[in-house]
Amino acid sequence: MGGAGLPMSVSVMVVDDHPLWRDGVARDLAERGFEVVATAGDAASAVRIARAVRPDVVLMDLNLGETTGVEATTLITGSLEGTRVLVLSASGEHSDVLEAVKAGASGYLVKSASAEELVEAVNRTAAGDAVFTAGLAGLVLGEYRRMAATPDDDKPQLTERETEVLRLVAKGLTARQIANRLVISHRTVENHVQSTLRKLQLHNRVELARYAIEHGLDVEPEG
């Protein structure tokens, strides 16, 4: 916990099989105020260490040898409710992105991202947002729309405002951006988010975004 008036530090674990890259990213994040609690060079170590240190965010490479980062992501997100995984990979292949998200990753950045983009992405991931390199969010949204198959009768009943907020969550907007868009207070947005989470029996905004995408709520209504 930071001192009076200071934000709480975000704890991060860096997973990559290249030692120079792994150590460089860890050093850069530490210099920018993040608490780098661990690093790992393979999937098995990543899962074991993550369960021990329980970081806020795991920065995950996908190419980790015999066991992939996708498998590690599945195991980490399945056993650590408070830990979110942000993929940082050299690959921008659509299949890799979709596999990572289906495994439970909260976001996906390519390694060509700037230091500033990485810092923002880690902070937003820790806050519960879904974060993607430009151009990849649309891919993920489109895939989940194709997967959507739940009948309307099975959906919990949300108010018009809750649906409006949910739609903006699915588009990747932060609570403050939603407040500005709808001209309501940040607290009101958070109240709508919490109410929607309860109704849908979900745990966080990442799951909320996935629900919205799966049910086509990221698409603006006509008229």
Side-chain angles (χ1 to χ4, degrees):
M1 184 74 174
L6 295 178
M8 183 179 294
S9 177
V10 174
S11 60
V12 182
M13 177 178 173
V14 181
V15 182
D16 197 288
D17 64 341
H18 289 89
L20 289 177
W21 174 269
R22 180 175 69 240
D23 294 346
V25 170
R27 183 178 59 251
D28 287 348
L29 290 176
E31 289 175 351
R32 286 167 171 79
F34 294 97
E35 181 187 3
V36 180
V37 293
T39 63
D42 61 79
S45 296
V47 174
R48 184 179 68 255
I49 296 171
R51 286 172 174 169
V53 301
R54 307 179 74 87
D56 297 319
V57 177
V58 175
L59 205 55
M60 178 73 71
D61 188 22
L62 293 184
N63 187 11
L64 298 175
E66 292 183 4
T67 305
T68 68
V70 168
E71 294 172 86
T73 296
T74 299
L75 293 171
I76 290 172
T77 58
S79 60
L80 297 175
E81 183 178 324
T83 296
R84 299 180 175 90
V85 175
L86 173 63
V87 171
L88 181 62
S89 174
S91 171
E93 292 293 326
H94 290 180
S95 58
D96 289 336
V97 178
L98 294 175
E99 284 300 312
V101 173
K102 290 173 185 177
S106 297
Y108 195 109
L109 285 187
V110 294
K111 286 185 175 179
S112 58
S114 68
E116 290 72 20
E117 289 172 328
L118 177 59
V119 167
E120 180 185 11
V122 173
N123 275 320
R124 288 188 60 191
T125 300
D129 292 334
V131 184
F132 294 92
T133 291
L136 297 183
L139 164 73
V140 176
L141 297 180
E143 176 67 12
Y144 274 112
R145 280 199 297 272
R146 285 191 291 273
M147 292 170 60
T150 304
D152 287 344
D153 290 345
D154 293 341
K155 298 179 186 177
Q157 294 301 308
L158 303 179
T159 67
E160 184 177 344
R161 181 63 91 183
E162 286 169 345
T163 301
E164 197 171 16
V165 170
L166 181 55
R167 182 173 289 114
L168 295 176
V169 168
K171 289 178 176 296
L173 274 67
T174 66
R176 293 198 180 280
Q177 289 172 328
I178 294 172
N180 291 336
R181 175 77 67 88
L182 300 181
V183 196
I184 57 179
S185 72
H186 176 268
R187 182 180 295 276
T188 299
V189 172
E190 291 293 354
N191 288 341
H192 285 310
V193 168
Q194 292 305 315
S195 173
T196 304
L197 286 171
R198 286 193 299 272
K199 286 184 178 181
L200 302 180
Q201 298 183 5
L202 301 175
H203 299 97
N204 54 53
R205 279 175 286 181
V206 175
E207 293 183 6
L208 200 61
R210 289 200 186 104
Y211 174 92
I213 293 165
E214 289 169 1
H215 292 81
L217 293 176
D218 57 297
V219 182
E220 291 291 347
E222 297 181 0

